[in-house]
Amino acid sequence: EDEQIVAEIMRRRFFPTVITHKAWEGFHFAGHEIRITEATDCYGAVVWPSALVLCYFLETNSKQYNLVDKNVIEIGAGTGLVSIVASLLGALVTATDLPELLGNLQHNVLQNTKLKSKHRPCVKELSWGIDLEKNFPRASCHFDYIMAADVVYHHPFLDELLLTFDHLCKNDTVILWAMKFRLDKENQFVGRFQTLFDLEVLSNLPSLNITLYKAMRKGRMKV
């Protein structure tokens, strides 16, 4: 079953038949052809398999997780694929990442959602743990969903990542988080995450070493 699902997910990806001066990859999700411009000089500008796993889940579970008119924020949006798919599925999306990634992120998001999405998505800077209340005030920012794909990897900002999840998540917010397991330090983040949030495994794909989680604040997970 794992191999069948992974094969189906990977069939959603396609590559240009003619090599151009600008590197891009194509994807089929939410009834649309999505073209993502990538950059190979930084991790955040490449589409990682966790993003495909999350996009596939959003598309194939669109009745249970209906995104129409829902307020969605993606942290560590990178190239924007997850944000684009959520937008095409009807969500009001805020795609966030570091300042140096915003140009490419904005290009991808606007190129693939213009005249296709119910709501125009927003691209916004978010450096984990920095100026959270200033840029995303608790009193006025309410997100139905927080989405994250492959945000836990070898970097020194895991404390700030947990702080960001905590700040953005209200009692009724649902976190959809796809994680690729790599090293013990990163894997230990799951345990720390569970001090604040209840976790439910939605999908486990051993061949990709990726797990897709649903999370809510402690005591808020629906049985």
Side-chain angles (χ1 to χ4, degrees), residues 12-180:
R12 302 301 185 94
R13 168 183 267 167
F14 66 92
F15 298 93
T17 55
V18 178
I19 297 176
T20 63
H21 70 282
K22 185 177 290 187
W24 63 272
E25 286 186 69
F27 303 89
H28 293 288
F29 286 110
H32 292 274
E33 178 182 297
I34 300 168
R35 293 193 177 192
I36 296 293
T37 301
E38 296 186 322
T40 57
D41 57 347
C42 57
Y43 289 118
V46 176
V47 177
W48 298 101
S50 291
L52 274 66
V53 170
L54 183 48
C55 289
Y56 179 79
F57 178 85
L58 294 176
E59 180 186 82
T60 55
N61 294 273
S62 59
K63 290 185 178 180
Q64 183 178 359
Y65 293 88
N66 184 355
L67 298 184
V68 176
D69 298 330
K70 294 297 192 298
N71 204 7
V72 172
I73 186 169
E74 184 186 6
I75 61 174
T79 59
L81 181 61
V82 172
S83 289
I84 291 164
V85 172
S87 181
L88 294 173
L89 290 171
L92 179 59
V93 174
T94 301
T96 70
D97 216 312
L98 296 171
E100 59 267 26
L101 297 174
L102 294 187
N104 190 58
L105 176 59
Q106 177 95 8
H107 168 79
N108 285 329
V109 168
L110 293 183
Q111 176 178 268
N112 289 285
T113 60
K114 188 176 182 180
L115 303 179
K116 299 176 184 177
S117 296
K118 183 176 182 181
H119 304 285
R120 181 174 179 174
C122 170
V123 173
K124 191 170 180 179
E125 177 186 342
L126 173 54
S127 298
W128 298 339
I130 298 175
D131 292 333
L132 293 176
E133 182 59 29
K134 176 184 176 182
N135 296 323
F136 299 90
R138 289 179 186 269
S140 58
C141 287
H142 181 281
F143 298 105
D144 299 294
Y145 289 93
I146 299 171
M147 299 193 181
D150 219 6
V151 293
V152 180
Y153 48 87
H154 184 63
H155 59 61
F157 301 112
L158 295 180
D159 290 340
E160 289 79 3
L161 173 60
L162 186 59
L163 181 65
T164 301
F165 272 124
D166 183 44
H167 180 84
L168 297 174
C169 188
K170 295 289 201 300
N171 283 341
D172 58 348
T173 301
V174 174
I175 299 171
L176 296 176
W177 167 32
M179 175 174 173
K180 182 176 179 66

Side-chain angles (χ1 to χ4, degrees), residues 176-212:
L176 296 176
W177 167 32
M179 175 174 173
K180 182 176 179 66
F181 286 82
R182 295 182 177 89
L183 303 172
D184 285 343
K185 179 183 177 182
E186 287 76 51
N187 299 349
Q188 290 168 8
F189 180 82
V190 176
R192 295 171 57 199
F193 186 86
Q194 286 179 288
T195 63
L196 298 176
F197 304 99
D198 289 322
L199 274 184
E200 175 187 336
V201 175
L202 297 177
S203 181
N204 188 31
L205 302 172
S207 62
L208 293 176
N209 213 22
I210 291 173
T211 301
L212 175 62

